[in-house]
Amino acid sequence: MKQEGFWYSVGDFFYTCFEGLEWVNETLSPQWILILVGTGFFSYWIYLQGKYNKEAAKNGTLK
């Protein structure tokens, strides 16, 4: 395999990956993606906090 062929295939791979990111940017704006991800993490954190509080109330260690 020639070196030009190797670098061409690496560049083509990266172009394909970033082409997917271009589609996401055109379809969904980055602000909406951050809002959705942030909402997901916040919901998970609230779930864990509620679970911790129920266990603490059960053990009598809730302040």
Side-chain angles (χ1 to χ4, degrees):
M1 180 193 309
K2 294 183 180 180
Q3 186 174 2
E4 294 87 15
F6 172 75
W7 290 114
Y8 179 80
S9 61
V10 170
D12 190 44
F13 171 74
F14 281 121
Y15 182 78
T16 304
C17 292
F18 290 126
E19 193 175 39
L21 290 176
E22 289 176 5
W23 176 84
V24 169
N25 190 30
E26 292 171 0
T27 307
L28 297 172
S29 65
Q31 293 86 359
W32 285 108
I33 294 171
L34 291 175
I35 289 170
L36 291 174
V37 170
T39 302
F41 281 127
F42 181 75
S43 300
Y44 182 68
W45 176 68
I46 292 296
Y47 167 75
L48 287 179
Q49 193 65 35
K51 188 175 169 184
Y52 171 78
N53 287 344
K54 285 180 185 177
E55 185 179 329
K58 183 178 175 184
N59 294 338
T61 57
L62 186 65
K63 292 183 181 181

